[in-house]
């Protein structure tokens, strides 16, 4: 599946819920989100039909996300169904890790390949300040469990904020000395800007890199497609790798290979573009698989060439990040 700019679209991010068991202050309002009306959230069999159509069009990797995907009942079984599709897509998961320890083994057995765990601080009091919930130890146990069952390589995603976790950048990086993990720093993006925490400044990757250099020479690793937009590095003698993702300061739209399907059955060609197509009428009013494929293909073709974050009239997306899925 190619878009009008010749990019091959082969990666689908699938948000299975917009609900979450944390309240990261940059992502979700403290009171949570209103229940979507009954019937607004796609059933698993509807999601499976969408992913099957996308795989026939050339999707090779599906990342299950949310909200928090592990809070949706039946998620393990659903991941098993995705992994069993005839095209055998690679199935990965992005999670806050709270429920990972108890589900890691079943997820691996169902056919999940790998997990990304989002973790912005390793200090319990800061964890609670940011997410408005306790649970750091559960997340750390989840990472260990995922490693134990072979959901490898573990990727840990960190958003560095000025005056919050800047002093932990080196602590996160040091994890790669002992563990074969990818620790990836990601620039804070101008999304969910109605939330009070969004006025915090994120650190640029240039600033993160400057701090990392205090740990020694960073070896730049050759580009690998599996690393997506991350620039990968290794500290001397480290077992794991460090990734820097300049989601705001960088220009990686030229390599974008993604489509996003959200829990309410809408599909988006770009994180920052409000253009969405609703798949529900086809799914629920008797549309056939050809119609589904046509709509997915049309959305892929209509992907904008690049995001407009740096334009003076850029406006924040009309959905918060927990609704889009990251
Ligand atoms: N709940 C899961 C988790 O936290 O990993 C999956 C969904 S969450 C929306 C996916 C990712 O989006 C997380 O890594 C989170 O840190 C990131 N995220 C949320 N808001 C963001 C923002 N404004 N800029 C950059 N990343 C953001
Ligand atoms: Fe939940 Fe993930 Fe958003 Fe945090 S970043 S509130 S864990 S969806």
């Amino acid at each position: 599946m190619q878009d009008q700019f010749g990019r091959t679209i082969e990666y689908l991010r699938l948000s299975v819920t917009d609900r979450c068991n944390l309240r990261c202050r940059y992502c979700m309002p403290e009171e949570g989100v209103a229940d979507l009306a009954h019937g607004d959230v796609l059933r698993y069999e509807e999601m499976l039909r969408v992913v099957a159509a996308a795989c026939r069009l050339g999707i090779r990797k599906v990342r299950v996300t949310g909200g928090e995907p592990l809070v949706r009942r039946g998620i393990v079984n659903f991941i098993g169904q995705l992994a069993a599709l005839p095209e055998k897509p690679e199935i990965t998961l992005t999670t806050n890790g709270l429920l990972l320890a108890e589900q890691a083994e079943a997820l691996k057995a169902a056919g999940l390949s790998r997990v990304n765990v989002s973790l912005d601080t390793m200090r319990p009091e800061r964890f609670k300040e940011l997410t408005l919930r306790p649970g750091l130890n559960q997340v750390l146990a989840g990472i260990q469990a995922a490693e134990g069952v072979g959901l490898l390589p573990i990727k840990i995603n960190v958003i560095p904020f000025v005056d919050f976790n800047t002093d932990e950048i080196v602590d996160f990086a040091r994890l790669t000395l002992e563990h074969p993990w990818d620790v990836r720093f990601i620039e804070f993006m101008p999304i969910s800007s109605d939330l009070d925490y969004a006025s915090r400044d994120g650190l640029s990757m240039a600033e993160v890199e400057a701090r990392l250099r205090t740990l020694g020479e960073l070896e730049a690793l050759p580009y690998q497609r599996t690393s997506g937009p991350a620039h990968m590095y290794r500290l001397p003698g480290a077992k794991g790798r460090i990734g820097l993702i300049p989601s705001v300061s960088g220009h990686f739209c030229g390599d974008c290979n993604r489509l996003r399907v959200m829990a309410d059955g809408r599909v988006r060609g770009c994180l920052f573009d409000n253009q969405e197509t609703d798949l529900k009428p086809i799914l629920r009013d008797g549309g056939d698989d050809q119609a589904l494929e046509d709509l997915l293909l049309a959305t892929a073709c209509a992907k904008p060439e690049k995001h407009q974050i740096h334009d003076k009239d850029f406006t924040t997306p009309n959905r918060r990040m927990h609704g889009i899925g990251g």
Side-chain angles (χ1 to χ4, degrees), residues 12-18 36 40-42 47 50 259-270 273 275-277 279-280 319-325:
L12 179 72
R13 294 182 69 100
L14 174 68
S15 173
V16 295
T17 178
D18 69 341
L36 285 171
D40 271 0
V41 178
L42 292 192
M47 288 187 176
V50 172
L259 268 190
R260 293 178 157 80
V261 171
M262 289 152 291
D264 61 3
R266 290 171 177 267
V267 55
R268 221 176 224 259
C270 172
D273 184 54
Q275 203 64 44
E276 293 181 353
T277 313
L279 302 174
K280 274 210 296 297
R319 287 192 196 237
R320 298 203 193 95
M321 197 66 126
H322 64 82
I324 305 177

Side-chain angles (χ1 to χ4, degrees), residues 13 15 17 19-22 24 26-28 63-70 93-97 116-120 130 157-159 161 186-193 195 198 247-248 271-272 320-326:
R13 294 182 69 100
S15 173
T17 178
R19 322 214 48 150
C20 189
N21 47 0
L22 290 182
C24 302
Y26 53 79
C27 177
M28 175 82 102
R63 175 167 297 283
V64 176
T65 176
E68 173 48 41
L70 296 186
L93 176 83
T94 295
T95 173
N96 62 29
N116 287 10
V117 181
S118 306
L119 181 63
D120 300 324
L130 181 71
N157 291 346
V158 186
I159 303 181
F161 288 98
I186 303 176
E187 280 175 355
F188 183 50
M189 294 181 271
I191 289 188
S192 318
S193 56
L195 301 178
S247 25
V248 176
L271 183 54
F272 297 102
R320 298 203 193 95
M321 197 66 126
H322 64 82
I324 305 177

